[in-house]
Amino acid sequence: MAKSGGGFWKGVFWVIVVEVAACVIAALVIQFGGFPMGADAHPSKLEAQLGEWTKNAWANHHAPKLADPVPVNEQTLMEGAKLYQGNCAVCHGGPNYEKSHLARGIYPGAPQFMRFVEFQKTHPKFRMRKQTPAQEQARNDHSFFTIKHGIRFTGMPSWKYAMTDTQIWEVVNFTHHMGHLPPAVDAAWKEMPISPIPVPTPAAPAKAGKKK
């Protein structure tokens, strides 16, 4: 029995040693600049998976179950399109599928919603299956919660300071119907300008003053 107990505590000791060593190594990597923090880097698969797992777990445990107070119709989808195009398209893409100059510099990259919609159209096996009411509710809750509170360590801000809850729901409904909008809304959306964030241009060189 004594030998068995000694083996157990020896195992515990080595587990602690390995964990401490891992923490020390990680601290050294960070201390000497070994972890890239630039927004123009590409996240590793491990980092992306951990981030997605953490985000989903956070939303699963904290997103309140709310009834969508905004009816889905042509008027509310049009309002959602205006809000999306004026605030979200610069990062998440507009109807032309192209990334903006700002979206190319976000780390990790922002989901490009229309590219995903188009991908589903051309790859039937990846199309979203008809959801149960509970699945649809969870999807709505996650979207509302993410838009309202943002996502830490990404370019996704909390929109609760810029939009009302009603406006956030209009954006949620618009993004969830992006691939099958009413013709009038779809046509109007394609004509809406993207967020007015100008591309910076080099400043003209200052002219040398005349000597007196």
Side-chain angles (χ1 to χ4, degrees), residues 141-164:
D141 291 341
H142 276 223
S143 297
F144 178 84
F145 190 71
T146 299
I147 295 172
K148 183 167 183 174
H149 297 287
I151 304 175
R152 189 183 298 186
F153 301 129
T154 72
M156 179 65 179
S158 166
W159 284 96
K160 68 180 181 181
Y161 302 106
M163 293 185 191
T164 65

Side-chain angles (χ1 to χ4, degrees), residues 12-28:
V12 171
F13 169 77
W14 282 111
V15 168
I16 294 173
V17 168
V18 170
E19 289 181 347
V20 170
C23 291
V24 170
I25 292 171
L28 289 173

Side-chain angles (χ1 to χ4, degrees), residues 72-114:
V72 178
N73 54 45
E74 190 169 302
Q75 180 181 352
T76 59
L77 288 174
M78 187 72 78
E79 291 303 314
K82 294 175 184 176
L83 289 165
Y84 175 87
Q85 195 69 2
N87 299 283
C88 315
V90 70
C91 292
H92 292 284
N96 63 354
Y97 317 117
E98 291 297 323
K99 276 189 176 183
S100 69
H101 60 280
L102 181 63
R104 297 178 189 279
I106 294 177
Y107 179 98
Q112 301 297 298
F113 296 135
M114 277 307 295

Side-chain angles (χ1 to χ4, degrees), residues 3-212:
K3 186 176 181 180
S4 176
F8 170 77
W9 289 112
K10 186 176 181 180
V12 171
F13 169 77
W14 282 111
V15 168
I16 294 173
V17 168
V18 170
E19 289 181 347
V20 170
C23 291
V24 170
I25 292 171
L28 289 173
V29 170
I30 294 172
Q31 179 66 27
F32 289 97
F35 190 82
M37 291 299 292
D40 55 353
H42 294 282
S44 66
K45 288 184 178 180
L46 177 61
E47 182 183 348
Q49 289 173 349
L50 286 174
E52 189 69 15
W53 175 41
T54 303
K55 181 195 73 172
N56 289 336
W58 170 64
N60 286 338
H61 285 84
H62 297 285
K65 290 179 172 54
L66 302 172
D68 183 350
V70 176
V72 178
N73 54 45
E74 190 169 302
Q75 180 181 352
T76 59
L77 288 174
M78 187 72 78
E79 291 303 314
K82 294 175 184 176
L83 289 165
Y84 175 87
Q85 195 69 2
N87 299 283
C88 315
V90 70
C91 292
H92 292 284
N96 63 354
Y97 317 117
E98 291 297 323
K99 276 189 176 183
S100 69
H101 60 280
L102 181 63
R104 297 178 189 279
I106 294 177
Y107 179 98
Q112 301 297 298
F113 296 135
M114 277 307 295
R115 287 190 178 187
F116 180 64
V117 168
E118 188 63 23
F119 179 81
Q120 287 184 316
K121 288 180 180 178
T122 55
H123 297 76
K125 68 178 181 179
F126 290 101
R127 288 177 186 170
M128 187 175 293
R129 297 177 182 177
K130 184 173 179 59
Q131 295 182 311
T132 65
Q135 290 172 327
E136 185 67 26
Q137 175 71 50
R139 186 184 180 210
N140 288 344
D141 291 341
H142 276 223
S143 297
F144 178 84
F145 190 71
T146 299
I147 295 172
K148 183 167 183 174
H149 297 287
I151 304 175
R152 189 183 298 186
F153 301 129
T154 72
M156 179 65 179
S158 166
W159 284 96
K160 68 180 181 181
Y161 302 106
M163 293 185 191
T164 65
D165 283 2
T166 296
Q167 290 175 319
I168 292 175
W169 278 115
E170 287 173 342
V171 173
V172 169
N173 291 337
F174 173 74
T175 57
H176 289 183
H177 291 79
M178 210 175 249
H180 45 277
L181 292 167
V185 178
D186 189 56
W189 179 38
K190 289 176 180 176
E191 297 298 322
M192 293 178 189
I194 203 166
S195 306
I197 299 179
V199 178
T201 54
K207 293 182 180 180
K210 294 182 180 180
K211 293 182 179 180
K212 294 183 179 180

